[in-house]
Amino acid sequence: MLIRSATNADADAIRTLVFGVLGEYGLLAEHEGVDADLSDIEGNYIARGGLFDLVFDGAGQLIGTVGLYPRGDGVAELRKMYLVKHVRGRGLGKMLLERVLGRARELGFGRIEFETSSKLVEAIGLYKRYGFQPFQPDHIACRCDQAWALDLNVEC
């Protein structure tokens, strides 16, 4: 397995993976909305002090994505943490979440927030095990029906 930072050259492959996973759960891509960030990964994530990582299997196939989108005041939004179906349930989500939480601390974030859909039952279970708590955001994306947060100064 290889994990590396994404570039704008990866955008098409990222959209294919992300939109494919969303489709599995009956969720729609929002090209002009919450998914518009994928049009400039370097500008929206890396240049702003966040990250967007890609996970590849031993054959070089893209199997996962995860992003930390800086929102200001020490808060980052966990975005686009998706794995292709054939690798789910093998502990890769746990490894990816632990890695991104560690990187968030290294980057100086004190809080991680994200929005999701209740259809993503397995992922929500993982987030709960790591101490994420529900919260009420000011705004929520159309395909989402809940939001979660974790203060990073509290150990998992």
Side-chain angles (χ1 to χ4, degrees):
M1 185 175 64
L2 168 74
I3 299 176
R4 71 162 171 83
S5 185
T7 69
N8 285 340
D10 298 307
D12 287 340
I14 293 167
R15 281 191 287 270
T16 297
L17 187 146
V18 169
F19 298 160
V21 173
L22 290 172
E24 287 177 43
Y25 290 90
L27 301 170
L28 299 176
E30 297 178 36
H31 300 276
E32 303 301 318
V34 72
D35 299 317
D37 59 339
L38 297 178
S39 66
D40 183 5
I41 294 159
E42 293 173 39
N44 289 320
Y45 289 87
I46 291 98
R48 297 181 68 231
L51 64 83
F52 199 103
D53 287 345
L54 304 179
V55 183
F56 296 88
D57 65 15
Q61 296 297 309
L62 180 63
I63 59 170
T65 62
V66 63
L68 281 177
Y69 181 87
R71 294 186 53 208
D73 296 324
V75 177
E77 185 175 348
L78 179 66
R79 288 192 182 177
K80 312 299 193 274
M81 187 168 147
Y82 295 114
L83 294 166
V84 295
K85 189 173 189 171
H86 71 273
V87 301
R88 292 182 213 144
R90 298 181 184 178
L92 192 54
K94 177 181 172 183
M95 183 276 305
L96 200 54
L97 183 59
E98 287 177 2
R99 184 178 192 284
V100 81
L101 292 177
R103 290 285 293 132
R105 288 181 177 101
E106 290 172 10
L107 293 169
F109 296 111
R111 181 176 170 93
I112 301 290
E113 299 176 350
F114 69 92
E115 301 168 1
T116 192
S117 168
S118 56
K119 293 180 179 185
L120 300 171
V121 175
E122 299 88 354
I124 293 167
L126 175 66
Y127 299 130
K128 285 181 181 179
R129 288 191 298 278
Y130 276 80
F132 281 86
Q133 298 294 316
F135 85 103
Q136 187 62 46
D138 293 335
H139 174 269
I140 197 159
C142 294
R143 68 173 172 241
C144 299
D145 57 9
Q146 52 188 267
W148 295 81
L150 176 69
D151 290 320
L152 294 176
N153 56 354
V154 178
E155 289 299 317
C156 302

